[in-house]
Structure formats: structure tokens, C-alpha cells
């Protein structure tokens, strides 16, 4: 299991949560006041870390949501070709392939050390901004 549970009221901007089964970074949280017969609700805007899709959800503040466990690791780039990079993990020496978009193709060079994130069975190379 690569996720934990947390109540909506425990979430903070800049942290991560699962939205539509995609690990997403929380960009904005707005909480309404409780109504006469209801409880307070939070509207959360998040951006997927693997697909960059903006998603918005509304939950009661006591609702439990999934929070992904994101592992931050290092790897060496073995080769770059056909919009994908072959990497070897620095600790386990496991080799795997990560797809790259046009922008990432220019940033990844064979032989370089890169950082990557792994969550929910998906991986992505993370670049310093």
C-alpha cells in the first residue's frame, strides 16, 4: 500500500493527495462555514504530478482522503532515445524506462545523475526550477 489516509481538514497547500486516482499537489484549499443542518466543506484545487492536469474536488472536512507516499530517489541515465530515458536506480541498481516529453528531452543526458519521484507505481524525473 503506497498511500495513507488523512482527513480533509488536516490537508495543507503544497502537500499531496489522491484526486481521481492520480497523485496531485494541493494548490488551493477554501473551506466554507457549516450550514444550519450540515457540516463545513472544503473545495480543493490540485494539479497531478504525473500528468499536470488541474483537478477540483469538494469534500466535507471530516471526510477521509488518500495521501500518496512519494519516494524521492536518485538514478543514473543510461540512455536517451525515442522520447524515453532508460535509468538505473542508484541504490537498488534496478533499470527502468521513463517516458519524456519534448521539453524534458533536452534536459536529460546519458551518464547524468537525476532525481525521480515514485508514487502509486508511477515514476517521473524531477527537475530543479
Amino acid at each position: 500500500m503506497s498511500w495513507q489516509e488523512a482527513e480533509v481538514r488536516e490537508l495543507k497547500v503544497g502537500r499531496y493527495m489522491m484526486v481521481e486516482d492520480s497523485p496531485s499537489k494541493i494548490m488551493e484549499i477554501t473551506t466554507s462555514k457549516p450550514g444550519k443542518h450540515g457540516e463545513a466543506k472544503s473545495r480543493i484545487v490540485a494539479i497531478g504530478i504525473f500528468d499536470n492536469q488541474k483537478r477540483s474536488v469538494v469534500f466535507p472536512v471530516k471526510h477521509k482522503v488518500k495521501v500518496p507516499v512519494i519516494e524521492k530517489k536518485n538514478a543514473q541515465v543510461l540512455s536517451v532515445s525515442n522520447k524515453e530515458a532508460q535509468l538505473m536506480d542508484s541504490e537498488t541498481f534496478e533499470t527502468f524506462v521513463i517516458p519524456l516529453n519534448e521539453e524534458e528531452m533536452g534536459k536529460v543526458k546519458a551518464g547524468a545523475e537525476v532525481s525521480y519521484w515514485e508514487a502509486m507505481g508511477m515514476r517521473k524525473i524531477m527537475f530543479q526550477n
Side-chain angles (χ1 to χ4, degrees), residues 62-119:
K62 292 182 181 176
H63 183 77
K64 292 201 181 290
V65 294
K66 294 178 183 176
V67 177
V69 175
I70 299 173
E71 295 183 53
K72 299 172 183 176
K73 301 180 179 184
N74 293 317
Q76 181 178 3
V77 180
L78 300 177
S79 66
V80 179
S81 63
N82 294 339
K83 296 189 178 182
E84 60 185 27
Q86 183 179 18
L87 305 178
M88 179 176 67
D89 186 279
S90 299
E91 290 181 22
T92 64
F93 303 111
E94 171 193 5
T95 58
F96 54 91
V97 175
I98 292 183
L100 302 173
N101 62 32
E102 289 294 327
E103 181 183 324
E104 295 169 336
M105 285 288 290
K107 294 181 180 179
V108 178
K109 303 283 184 245
E113 281 280 322
V114 294
S115 296
Y116 73 95
W117 288 6
E118 183 174 13

Side-chain angles (χ1 to χ4, degrees), residues 28-46:
E28 180 184 337
I29 299 175
T30 52
T31 303
S32 67
K33 293 182 179 178
K36 186 174 181 181
H37 298 290
E39 59 181 301
K41 291 187 175 55
S42 289
R43 180 177 179 271
I44 303 168
V45 176

Side-chain angles (χ1 to χ4, degrees), residues 17-20 42-46 55-59 65:
M17 70 177 283
M18 297 295 291
V19 181
E20 298 171 10
S42 289
R43 180 177 179 271
I44 303 168
V45 176
R55 296 175 173 91
S56 179
V57 291
V58 177
F59 292 121
V65 294

